[in-house]
Amino acid sequence: MIFETISTSNHEEVVFCHNKDAGLKAIIAIHNTVLGPALGGTRMWPYASEAEALNDVLRLSRGMTYKAAVSGLNLGGGKAVIWGDPNKDKSEALFRAFGRFVNSLGGRYITAEDVGIDVNDMEYVLRETEYVTGVHQVHGGSGDPSPFTAYGTLQGLMAALQVKFGNEEVGNYSYAVQGVGHVGMEFVKLLRERGAKVFVTDINKDAVQRAVDEFGCEAVALDDIYDVDADVYSPTALGGTINEKTLPRLKCKVICGAANNQLANDQMGVEVAAKGMLYAPDYAVNAGGLMNVSLEIDGYNRERAMRMMRTIYYNLGRIFEISKRDGIPTNQAADRMAEERITAIGKLRLPHLGAPAPASRAAAATDPPSAPGLHAGPVRLAIHS
Ligand code: NAD
């Protein structure tokens, strides 16, 4: 059953991590390393079952492959999930045990934060492995990627507004934002700074209150977010919220948010387009955090990071062009753009050169991979003129 699941999702490697003393149950999934080492965050969530955790990590890691590819990064796709309640089950031992598993992969997988994980947790992971990004600046990291993800989402949003309405003035439109966590709170702040009308919801009542008090958002009940009469629906909590039940209720013209795997399935992309809505593909929109942490591999530079965020605007523009050109929904256009790049680079068959681990924590590079696409460490494609 597990091998069947893994083979259909086309993963290179899936690692089940267990440490009884630390209470660790985690899964690391490496989807594809043709473009580079698999970089993707770790999510901590109280999954209802093992199957649910496995499905989540497989979907998320595949998404990272596509995200890196569409964003022009020299990275592959990977992700990890820790099965546990982030409010109750965190400990130093848990994260250090997890860090040892990450280290055992020798740099084929590089981790970062995702839902339920913060910078402090990653610092425990860092005690066991160099293959961590998104750690605090004092460790040579770039800190929490969430503000960059939010800023990148804004760039993607502007591209979508431009295509849908012929005007990318963010403040001219209204928004229904689902989830005001690390990314969502930054995102509503950016929207409100530009004068937009913003409706918010979240299972965390304190977060909703903060969005109302600090940023002047309007709160709506959890399930009512799908009925809000807003120009843009921004899923910024968990995935799968665009589905057969919710789509008939949505009144928006644009769907653009930071959550991963927003469409419950690929067919939803067809149905969204059929309703005349413009879907800004999630993994292209929310690549800001990945772009930001990816710079840690070369030595972090904030100015370069901010410039990089702007590429999201152009990547989205390219996706919308492909969608129009080929007459396909935008989710398929994004996949096409990503797959074309992976195929093209995968065919190069040039040798990889080793490169050091994240600059400030430099360790000697591991041996170059024995075959193109098989990454033994955080190596980058050599630039051949
Ligand atoms: P977070 O845990 O800080 O925030 C998620 C928020 O969603 C929380 O406030 C939570 O209470 C809320 N939530 C959960 N279920 C909900 C529901 N059913 N209805 C309403 N609210 C609900 O996580 P985050 O880092 O802000 O990430 C948000 C989303 O963006 C995730 O899908 C994540 O994978 C994606 N993402 C995050 C980053 C990043 O840089 N953090 C990068 C790329 C993608």
Side-chain angles (χ1 to χ4, degrees):
M1 154 70 180
I2 288 177
F3 274 111
E4 204 180 305
T5 309
I6 295 169
S7 76
T8 48
S9 60
N10 218 4
H11 279 68
E12 288 179 10
E13 188 173 356
V14 179
V15 184
F16 287 77
C17 318
H18 178 242
N19 186 291
K20 200 172 171 189
D21 295 329
L24 177 74
K25 287 181 191 163
I27 310 172
I28 300 172
I30 297 178
H31 178 251
N32 185 297
T33 58
V34 168
L35 296 177
L39 198 161
T42 299
R43 175 170 294 195
M44 186 166 186
W45 196 253
Y47 294 102
S49 65
E50 281 171 21
E52 197 186 300
L54 179 62
N55 283 335
D56 205 30
V57 78
L58 294 179
R59 261 163 66 94
L60 291 167
S61 53
R62 181 177 179 277
M64 293 306 292
T65 297
Y66 281 77
K67 186 187 305 203
V70 94
S71 304
L73 299 170
N74 289 339
L75 292 171
K79 202 92 178 181
V81 295
I82 296 178
W83 187 6
D85 185 338
N87 297 316
K88 289 199 309 237
D89 299 331
K90 287 186 178 181
S91 68
E92 176 182 352
L94 179 103
F95 288 110
R96 291 186 67 164
F98 176 68
R100 289 190 188 186
F101 280 102
V102 172
N103 203 48
S104 73
L105 293 168
R108 269 172 52 72
Y109 170 67
I110 303 172
T111 196
E113 297 95 342
D114 192 58
V115 175
I117 301 283
D118 62 29
V119 178
N120 299 324
D121 304 327
M122 277 301 142
E123 293 196 4
Y124 288 131
V125 178
L126 179 64
R127 290 190 194 181
E128 302 293 341
T129 180
E130 310 239 345
Y131 302 116
V132 186
T133 54
V135 292
H136 195 274
Q137 285 87 342
V138 296
H139 300 295
S142 58
D144 180 5
S146 306
F148 293 89
T149 302
Y151 187 68
T153 302
L154 187 77
Q155 305 305 315
L157 170 68
M158 287 161 69
L161 295 175
Q162 183 61 42
V163 165
K164 188 69 193 169
F165 302 114
N167 180 323
E168 62 186 51
E169 276 302 321
V170 171
N172 289 354
Y173 307 96
S174 54
Y175 301 83
V177 180
Q178 183 182 42
V180 275
H182 287 95
V183 179
M185 194 68 84
E186 285 291 329
F187 186 57
V188 298
K189 181 175 161 218
L190 295 171
L191 296 177
R192 290 289 300 142
E193 280 170 0
R194 285 155 182 78
K197 170 94 182 141
V198 181
F199 299 89
V200 293
T201 196
D202 196 295
I203 50 175
N204 178 345
K205 291 197 171 67
D206 293 342
V208 171
Q209 200 54 49
R210 196 182 144 212
V212 170
D213 294 345
E214 277 188 42
F215 305 121
C217 299
E218 190 171 316
V220 299
L222 275 180
D223 192 52
D224 293 350
I225 198 75
Y226 303 112
D227 302 314
V228 172
D229 194 1
D231 300 307
V232 181
Y233 166 54
S234 296
T236 307
L238 297 180
T241 64
I242 300 157
N243 54 50
E244 269 112 27
K245 286 195 180 131
T246 58
L247 187 59
R249 294 167 61 185
L250 292 177
K251 299 181 179 65
C252 60
K253 297 276 187 298
V254 168
I255 299 175
C256 180
N260 282 308
N261 299 323
Q262 294 168 20
L263 303 176
N265 52 58
D266 286 348
Q267 177 59 22
M268 293 314 299
V270 177
E271 292 176 26
V272 165
K275 279 195 79 172
M277 297 170 174
L278 182 66
Y279 170 64
D282 46 17
Y283 61 75
V285 168
N286 68 19
L290 177 65
M291 288 178 172
N292 192 52
V293 296
S294 76
L295 291 176
E296 289 182 31
I297 295 172
D298 291 337
Y300 186 66
N301 177 318
R302 191 185 161 89
E303 200 185 318
R304 198 172 152 209
M306 291 310 280
R307 286 173 66 89
M308 222 174 170
M309 298 304 123
R310 187 66 184 153
T311 61
I312 293 177
Y313 179 92
Y314 299 105
N315 293 339
L316 263 293
R318 179 80 189 115
I319 290 166
F320 296 141
E321 266 172 35
I322 293 173
S323 163
K324 200 169 162 195
R325 182 196 70 193
D326 297 352
I328 53 174
T330 53
N331 59 317
Q332 289 178 25
D335 287 359
R336 191 164 289 182
M337 184 166 148
E339 283 160 7
E340 281 175 2
R341 179 163 180 251
I342 294 169
T343 304
I345 304 300
K347 279 186 189 156
L348 289 179
R349 303 209 175 278
L350 294 171
H352 293 285
L353 295 183
S360 55
R361 315 188 288 278
T366 45
D367 290 335
S370 52
L374 187 63
H375 283 267
V379 292
R380 283 165 288 136
L381 282 177
I383 298 167
H384 295 265
S385 52

